[in-house]
Amino acid sequence: MEEQGGKAWLVLDAPLRKKAIREALFGGYWWFQSFPALALMLFKVRKGKTLNQLATATGMSESVLRDSVLAANAAARGEAPEPFGKSPGGRQVLDQGPFYACDISVDNPVFPLGALTLGGLRVDEHSGAALDEQGQPIAGLYAAGRTALGIPSHLYISGLSLADCVFSGRRAGAAVAQLTARQLQPTLASQVTS
Ligand SMILES: Cc1cc2nc3c(=O)[nH]c(=O)nc-3n(C[C@H](O)[C@H](O)[C@H](O)COP(=O)(O)OP(=O)(O)OC[C@H]3O[C@@H](n4cnc5c(N)ncnc54)[C@H](O)[C@@H]3O)c2cc1C
């Protein structure tokens, strides 16, 4: 998506689409999660009996689509590295047509590709000060919000991001307040003395 001007397709084969529809209906999701997913899989979808037909239906290059699916399949079978960095549980062999392509482009009004910032800057874990390439604090620069904090190590649960934003904002604010107080103290002390 980042490399294609915001355009992206999610490719499923027939068994995976069936499984995904069943999960959206009976998997215990909230309606606001399952409705857009169902609309995407049922209405905003292109279909092809073969991968070549799917390429024609979507405007993708036949060879690029075929090579991408073959590479993903090889990774799902454990025969090659996973090209998109998917964890083993997220890998699926796509080899039973018809094949489907769901439009998950950023401008899709039904179900745009969800994107979240999860980490980015390296920070001092006690103060939130942004670190340079040598791991040294950059004077006067603090980070707060999602860019300041890392990737949830086990599960991503709704609320984690906002909680992390509150936590990291408070951490940076407290660090700056402490620093300011320390800088002011000598002045105040000398004023008091004089
Ligand atoms: C659809 C959706 C649902 C979500 N639901 C939840 C939820 O239920 N619970 C939860 O905890 N989290 C949820 N999140 C995640 C949460 O909203 C974000 O993680 C959080 O808002 C991040 O806050 P932030 O301050 O770090 O970054 P942002 O809110 O992204 O703020 C960054 C700001 O920087 C500005 N900016 C970017 N580049 C520049 C630049 N070069 N110059 C100047 N300004 C710039 C941006 O315009 C933006 O205003 C959801 C996110 C999405 C997208």
Side-chain angles (χ1 to χ4, degrees), residues 115-117 144-147 156 158-163 165:
L116 288 178
T117 301
R146 249 311 170 202
T147 192
Y156 181 84
S158 185
L160 271 183
S161 287
L162 296 181
C165 289

Side-chain angles (χ1 to χ4, degrees), residues 9-175:
W9 296 101
L10 175 67
V11 177
L12 313 169
D13 70 352
L16 183 57
R17 178 171 174 264
K18 205 169 150 189
K19 184 178 168 197
I21 290 174
R22 200 180 305 123
E23 279 185 11
L25 287 171
F26 308 114
Y29 293 101
W30 293 95
W31 67 267
F32 68 84
Q33 295 169 320
S34 51
F35 270 33
L38 283 169
L40 185 71
M41 287 187 282
L42 296 171
F43 306 120
K44 288 291 281 184
V45 73
R46 308 274 173 89
K47 183 178 173 183
K49 277 188 186 166
T50 62
L51 285 173
N52 279 355
Q53 285 185 6
L54 189 67
T56 308
T58 53
M60 284 191 258
S61 148
E62 285 183 7
S63 59
V64 170
L65 176 60
R66 190 186 56 245
D67 292 349
S68 302
V69 172
L70 289 179
N73 285 351
R77 293 190 181 104
E79 299 163 1
E82 161 50 46
F84 292 109
K86 288 183 181 175
S87 56
R91 300 175 192 176
Q92 295 281 340
V93 175
L94 307 175
D95 60 359
Q96 295 181 50
F99 296 91
Y100 299 85
C102 304
D103 183 357
I104 53 168
S105 305
V106 286
D107 60 357
N108 180 340
V110 177
F111 199 51
L113 184 68
L116 288 178
T117 301
L118 292 172
L121 297 174
R122 285 200 300 150
V123 300
D124 178 294
E125 294 298 335
H126 298 290
S127 65
L131 302 179
D132 63 17
E133 286 176 0
Q134 284 72 44
Q136 297 304 311
I138 300 170
L141 187 64
Y142 291 80
R146 249 311 170 202
T147 192
L149 289 161
I151 298 163
S153 58
H154 178 49
L155 277 178
Y156 181 84
I157 300 169
S158 185
L160 271 183
S161 287
L162 296 181
D164 274 352
C165 289
V166 172
F167 158 73
S168 60
R170 191 173 180 279
R171 177 177 66 180

